[in-house]
Amino acid sequence: MNPFDRICSLSAHGLIPPASYLNNGAQGKILMWRALASGETFHKHSAAARFGWHRSSSDRAINELHSAGLVHIVGWTRNGDRGPMTKIVAFGPGIDIARPSRLGNAFNCHRWRSRHYEQALAIDRRTRIKRLARQGKLPTGNDPLLSAIMGFRV
């Protein structure tokens, strides 16, 4: 197959893939191009899992298509519940969705405390005792249990 036939076979909706997608060693990129042209959406984690790439390789391939104007950003996601936001791309030129703003510290703390209620209570108790010790307001006097252990009379 000559290069012209290869370009014609890979063109979709009047769009031609970048030159790196036309090399003979770019079978994974061709599969990604065809999947995007058929209407699928990808982010770097899903592309890496589907085509057997490393995450950085899939990210470079997606960024190459995006910078060429052949895909547009249709959403943002995280890999699971953690990590930075990752763009989700779809085929064709279009308007990119803006990256969402970062979550605030107050929101993150509230979410953690609601998920780890018992641990948050223990931290609150320790913090209160440390604060009272710094201020010199801890209760004073003989502890009856300590006196019994040590053998003192109360």
Side-chain angles (χ1 to χ4, degrees):
M1 177 181 280
N2 66 26
F4 180 74
D5 292 336
R6 187 170 178 83
I7 290 172
C8 290
S9 69
L10 290 176
S11 65
H13 307 286
L15 298 175
I16 299 170
S20 68
Y21 281 64
L22 302 174
N23 296 336
N24 287 332
Q27 289 85 11
K29 287 184 175 183
I30 291 170
L31 291 174
M32 181 175 167
W33 174 261
R34 288 185 176 152
L36 283 167
S38 69
E40 294 185 47
T41 60
F42 287 106
H43 52 83
K44 68 180 176 183
H45 301 285
S46 63
R50 174 136 177 218
F51 303 115
W53 293 339
H54 191 270
R55 281 191 317 266
S56 61
S57 299
S58 63
D59 195 32
R60 278 194 304 272
I62 289 172
N63 286 337
E64 182 181 2
L65 290 174
H66 185 254
S67 64
L70 300 172
V71 296
H72 64 284
I73 301 172
V74 294
W76 294 86
T77 187
R78 294 183 191 277
N79 185 24
D81 191 29
R82 301 173 166 237
M85 297 299 283
T86 304
K87 60 186 161 210
I88 303 171
V89 295
F91 188 75
I95 298 173
D96 291 340
I97 292 179
R99 184 183 182 117
S101 61
R102 294 177 59 106
L103 300 176
N105 191 34
F107 176 80
N108 287 334
C109 288
H110 177 70
R111 182 174 60 181
W112 184 87
R113 292 177 71 81
S114 65
R115 289 180 181 172
H116 304 90
Y117 183 73
E118 295 295 325
Q119 197 173 354
L121 285 178
I123 290 171
D124 289 344
R125 279 192 297 272
R126 284 194 306 269
T127 304
R128 187 178 68 249
I129 290 170
K130 286 180 182 179
R131 186 183 68 243
L132 289 173
R134 272 195 316 268
Q135 295 172 350
K137 295 181 180 177
L138 282 177
T140 58
N142 293 334
D143 182 16
L145 182 60
L146 181 62
S147 298
I149 291 171
M150 300 300 285
F152 299 129
R153 292 186 73 188
V154 180

